[in-house]
C-alpha cells in the first residue's frame, strides 16, 4: 500500500487497484487517487497512469461496505454505492490495504462532519461488545447455507486441511454481519467462540496461538491461520455448572453490565463473561455468553469487598497474558481474589467506581 503523501491537495493514497467494470463486468486494474470528496481512477499503461482520469466517483452521500462478501472468491473487496445507486466494487491486494483504503474513503465521505470523523478514529480500535450478545445465534448464522462461512480445503506448510477457513475471513464475516464493529471486537468474539468449543484451531499457526494467556491473542486475524467448526456445537451443561443462587441476590436493581475478561481460579486462563452489577442487595454476577439460558455461572456479595486497579504494583504472579493497564482485582469478605480485565483504562475506572459505591 502506498503511504499518504504530505503536501497539501495531494492524493491521500495512490495504489493500483482492480475494479469491476459497469457494462462488461470484468475486472481491470486502475490507479486510484483520493481527493477530498472525490475518488479518481486512471488507466494504466506500462505501469504508469494515463491522464486524464478514466472516471471519478463522487463521495458525497456515498455508502461504503467493507468487508464486502458478495463475491465468495474475492474476500478483499470494498463496495461503494453512490447517491444515484451506482455500485463500484474495488479489490485490494491485501486485507491491510483494503482496510486502510476503506478507512480513508470513509473519512472523506464524512469530511464535513468532524464529530463523525473523530468517532471513526475511536471506532477503529474500539472494544465495546453489546451487553446481550448470543454466541448460539452467531454459530447458527455461521452454519447458514446461504450467508454463513463455507469451509474449504486450505494448505499450510505443505499439508492440506479439509473444511477449514481463514482467521481473517471469520473476522471479516463477523464485521460484515454486524456482530462486531471493529476487528478488535471481532477477534475477541472469535476467541470466545473458540474458548467455548464452537471453533477449533487447525495447523501449527493457529494452534500455537492458543498457548497465549491473553484472550485477544488466542485467535489470529490472519490469512495464514486456519480454523474449523468443532464437531459438537451444542455445549452440554454439566451438573457441576449448576450453582445454587438465591432469588434474593438476583432481585437487586441492575446498575451496570457489560463484557469483561475473568481469570479462572484453577486453570488461570481468561474467559469473557457478561458481568452484571446489582444493588439492594449488592452483588456482582457473571454469565457465560455461550449458554442460552439467562442464569449466572458465578457471583459474589460486594459487602465488605475491596476493589483496586493493578497497574501501579504490577501484575501479580500467576496472572497470565498482557493485562497491564486494564486489570483490576476484587477481594471478597471471605478473602477470595477475582482478577478481571477491562477493555480499556476508562472502562476499568468506570467498573471500579461503580463497585466501590456498593462495597
Amino acid at each position: 500500500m502506498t503511504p499518504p503523501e504530505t503536501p497539501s491537495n495531494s492524493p491521500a493514497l495512490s495504489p493500483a487497484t482492480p475494479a469491476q467494470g459497469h457494462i462488461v463486468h470484468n475486472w481491470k486494474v486502475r490507479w486510484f487517487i483520493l481527493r477530498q470528496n472525490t475518488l479518481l481512477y486512471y488507466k494504466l499503461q506500462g505501469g504508469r497512469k494515463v491522464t486524464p482520469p478514466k472516471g471519478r466517483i463522487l463521495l458525497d452521500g456515498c455508502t461504503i461496505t467493507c468487508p464486502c462478501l458478495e463475491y465468495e472468491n474475492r474476500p478483499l473487496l470494498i463496495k461503494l454505492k453512490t447517491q444515484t445507486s451506482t455500485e463500484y466494487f474495488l479489490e485490494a491486494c491485501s486485507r491491510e490495504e483494503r482496510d486502510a483504503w476503506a478507512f480513508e474513503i470513509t473519512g472523506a465521505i464524512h469530511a464535513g462532519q468532524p464529530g463523525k470523523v473523530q468517532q471513526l478514529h475511536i471506532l477503529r480500535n474500539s472494544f465495546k461488545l453489546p451487553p446481550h450478545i448470543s454466541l448460539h445465534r452467531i454459530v447458527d448464522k455461521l452454519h447458514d447455507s446461504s450467508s454463513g462461512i463455507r469451509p474449504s480445503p486450505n494448505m499450510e506448510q505443505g499439508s492440506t486441511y479439509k473444511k477449514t477457513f481463514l482467521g481473517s475471513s471469520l473476522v471479516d464475516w463477523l464485521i460484515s454481519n454486524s456482530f462486531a464493529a471493529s476487528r478488535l471486537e471481532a477477534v475477541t468474539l472469535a476467541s470466545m467462540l473458540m474458548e467455548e468449543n464452537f471453533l477449533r484451531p487447525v495447523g501449527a499457526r493457529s494452534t500455537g496461538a492458543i498457548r497465549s494467556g491473553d484472550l485477544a491473542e488466542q485467535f489470529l486475524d490472519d490469512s495464514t491461520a486456519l480454523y474449523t467448526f468443532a464437531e459438537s456445537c451444542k455445549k452440554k451443561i454439566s451438573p457441576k455448572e449448576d450453582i445454587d443462587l438465591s432469588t434474593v441476590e438476583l432481585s437487586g436493581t441492575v446498575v451496570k453490565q457489560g463484557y469483561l475478561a475473568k481469570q479462572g481460579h484453577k486453570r488461570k486462563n481468561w474467559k469473557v463473561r457478561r458481568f452484571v452489577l446489582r444493588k439492594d442487595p449488592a452483588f456482582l454476577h457473571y454469565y457465560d455468553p455461550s449458554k442460552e439460558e439467562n442464569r449466572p455461572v458465578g457471583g459474589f456479595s460486594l459487602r465488605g469487598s475491596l476493589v483496586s486497579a493493578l497497574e501501579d504494583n504490577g501484575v501479580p504472579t500467576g496472572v497470565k497474558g498482557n493485562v497491564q493497564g486494564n486489570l483490576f482485582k476484587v477481594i471478597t469478605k471471605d478473602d477470595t481474589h477475582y482478577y478481571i480485565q477491562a477493555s480499556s483504562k476508562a472502562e476499568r475506572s468506570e467498573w471500579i467506581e461503580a463497585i466501590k459505591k456498593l462495597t
Side-chain angles (χ1 to χ4, degrees):
M1 181 182 71
T2 303
E5 299 181 22
T6 52
S8 60
N9 299 321
S10 66
L13 294 164
S14 303
T17 300
Q20 189 187 60
H22 290 292
I23 300 175
V24 180
H25 288 183
N26 55 352
W27 294 86
K28 297 178 181 178
V29 175
R30 294 287 183 254
W31 185 271
F32 282 81
I33 296 179
L34 178 61
R35 292 187 185 275
Q36 295 181 342
N37 66 341
T38 305
L39 189 61
L40 306 174
Y41 55 95
Y42 300 78
K43 280 187 175 182
L44 281 175
Q45 283 186 0
R48 296 185 178 185
K49 69 177 187 289
V50 178
T51 55
K54 173 69 174 175
R56 66 188 64 219
I57 303 172
L58 297 178
L59 298 177
D60 286 340
C62 259
T63 58
I64 181 170
T65 303
C66 180
C68 173
L69 305 182
E70 293 189 22
Y71 290 82
E72 186 179 354
N73 61 338
R74 294 183 180 271
L76 301 176
L77 290 184
I78 298 171
K79 176 182 175 181
L80 293 174
K81 188 173 183 179
T82 67
Q83 281 186 320
T84 59
S85 296
T86 303
E87 294 183 346
Y88 294 86
F89 292 90
L90 315 179
E91 184 176 34
C93 296
S94 67
R95 194 265 298 168
E96 291 78 13
E97 183 186 62
R98 180 202 64 190
D99 291 350
W101 265 102
F103 184 73
E104 296 292 340
I105 293 172
T106 304
I109 292 173
H110 299 289
Q113 303 170 274
K116 182 70 173 179
V117 174
Q118 183 181 12
Q119 183 182 356
L120 290 170
H121 280 272
I122 295 172
L123 183 63
R124 195 180 198 185
N125 296 307
S126 74
F127 180 101
K128 200 70 175 178
L129 294 175
H132 295 293
I133 198 163
S134 168
L135 293 189
H136 281 279
R137 180 169 170 262
I138 295 175
V139 171
D140 287 344
K141 194 158 186 179
L142 274 169
H143 284 277
D144 188 275
S145 58
S146 59
S147 60
I149 287 275
R150 295 185 182 180
S152 60
N154 285 284
M155 182 172 289
E156 182 191 26
Q157 298 181 356
S159 299
T160 300
Y161 297 94
K162 298 180 180 179
K163 296 183 178 180
T164 58
F165 46 84
L166 309 179
S168 56
S169 296
L170 179 58
V171 170
D172 283 349
W173 185 91
L174 289 168
I175 296 172
S176 179
N177 285 272
S178 302
F179 288 115
S182 70
R183 302 197 78 81
L184 177 59
E185 289 183 9
V187 166
T188 304
L189 265 182
S191 296
M192 292 165 63
L193 290 168
M194 192 165 58
E195 183 72 24
E196 301 299 338
N197 297 321
F198 292 114
L199 306 176
R200 63 179 178 86
V202 177
R205 182 92 171 88
S206 56
T207 302
I210 65 173
R211 298 188 181 96
S212 166
D214 188 355
L215 184 77
E217 295 175 2
Q218 291 180 4
F219 185 91
L220 297 179
D221 180 9
D222 195 304
S223 60
T224 63
L226 303 181
Y227 297 89
T228 189
F229 294 120
E231 291 183 4
S232 175
C233 284
K234 297 296 183 181
K235 190 178 179 183
K236 296 181 180 179
I237 303 171
S238 68
K240 294 181 180 179
E241 293 176 311
D242 190 15
I243 62 173
D244 183 24
L245 292 169
S246 69
T247 306
V248 175
E249 66 182 73
L250 294 174
S251 65
T253 303
V254 175
V255 295
K256 187 173 179 61
Q257 62 179 309
Y259 282 90
L260 300 166
K262 172 189 166 293
Q263 188 184 54
H265 289 293
K266 294 181 180 179
R267 292 179 58 194
K268 305 298 181 185
N269 58 340
W270 291 88
K271 291 188 177 182
V272 172
R273 295 290 183 246
R274 180 169 64 88
F275 279 78
V276 177
L277 180 63
R278 293 180 172 89
K279 67 176 182 179
D280 302 326
F283 273 85
L284 184 61
H285 294 101
Y286 46 94
Y287 297 72
D288 185 344
S290 71
K291 293 180 170 60
E292 293 180 321
E293 71 275 7
N294 190 31
R295 181 175 176 80
V297 294
F300 50 90
S301 171
L302 291 174
R303 292 301 179 193
S305 296
L306 298 175
V307 58
S308 61
L310 287 176
E311 62 180 341
D312 297 330
N313 300 323
V315 178
T317 303
V319 176
K320 299 180 181 179
N322 181 21
V323 295
Q324 290 92 333
N326 302 329
L327 189 71
F328 65 97
K329 177 172 68 172
V330 179
I331 305 176
T332 64
K333 191 176 181 179
D334 62 0
D335 200 34
T336 303
H337 292 225
Y338 290 85
Y339 294 103
I340 302 170
Q341 184 182 356
S343 61
S344 66
K345 288 185 177 180
E347 186 183 42
R348 181 188 63 180
S349 297
E350 291 175 6
W351 274 99
I352 289 175
E353 289 304 312
I355 292 171
K356 279 183 176 179
K357 292 178 181 178
L358 302 178
T359 57

